[in-house]
Amino acid sequence: MKYLSVFGLILAFVVFAQSKTTKARIKPDTTVYTKVDEIPEFPGGLEKLGAYLSKMKMPALDTTENTQGRVIIQMIVEKDGRLTHVKAIRGRNSAMDKAYIEYIRRSPKWKPGLIHGKPVRVVYSIPISINFASDE
């Protein structure tokens, strides 16, 4: 019985030590891709993305002039479809840029980009054309 207890103690130590070192060796994949086999996609595709963006409420802007131009929002679509690192890489004004960033950040989870059928982190840009005419 004495040998059985010592063997059990040694076995428990070996199993615990192996599991602890295995966890320490695993490093998360933080690679962000720009080219993939399948690009990330908003749920429902580009048409649904356009419909989603058209529902955004714009912040109060100076309406004395026409506001036209383009905003480009860049983000990372994570392996699970979440959006992170959302920023305006080209914008019109800070209030509008912040509004688009926040609205896109709250979008539903996307279909992630794929390489060889496996989800990967992908940098993705959305160009948004703006054309607000004044009421005058």
Side-chain angles (χ1 to χ4, degrees):
M1 192 61 148
K2 189 177 190 182
Y3 296 110
L4 184 58
S5 298
V6 172
F7 178 72
L9 181 61
I10 291 173
L11 182 62
F13 177 74
V14 170
V15 169
F16 176 73
Q18 285 180 350
S19 65
K20 190 172 184 178
T21 56
T22 303
K23 289 180 185 177
R25 291 183 191 163
I26 297 173
K27 293 183 181 178
D29 182 11
T30 57
T31 306
V32 179
Y33 294 88
T34 56
K35 294 183 180 180
V36 292
D37 299 336
E38 291 184 43
I39 62 171
E41 184 178 7
F42 185 83
L46 290 176
E47 187 176 308
K48 295 286 185 177
L49 175 60
Y52 177 77
L53 291 174
S54 70
K55 293 177 184 175
M56 186 181 106
K57 296 198 185 314
M58 292 304 296
L61 300 172
D62 179 8
T63 57
T64 59
E65 297 180 12
N66 292 345
T67 303
Q68 297 180 6
R70 184 179 229 181
V71 174
I72 299 177
I73 303 295
Q74 186 180 69
M75 66 220 172
I76 295 176
V77 180
E78 298 289 341
K79 293 177 184 181
D80 65 357
R82 289 178 300 113
L83 303 180
T84 60
H85 305 292
V86 182
K87 62 183 178 180
I89 58 172
R90 179 177 174 190
R92 296 299 302 154
N93 65 49
S94 63
M96 193 180 298
D97 296 349
K98 287 178 186 177
Y100 274 113
I101 289 168
E102 197 54 41
Y103 192 67
I104 289 172
R105 188 176 280 142
R106 290 189 321 257
S107 78
K109 284 189 175 184
W110 287 45
K111 175 185 165 193
L114 303 175
I115 294 181
H116 303 298
K118 293 185 180 182
V120 293
R121 300 175 77 215
V122 181
V123 64
Y124 190 88
S125 298
I126 302 172
I128 303 167
S129 295
I130 300 168
N131 187 11
F132 295 110
S134 64
D135 294 335
E136 296 176 17

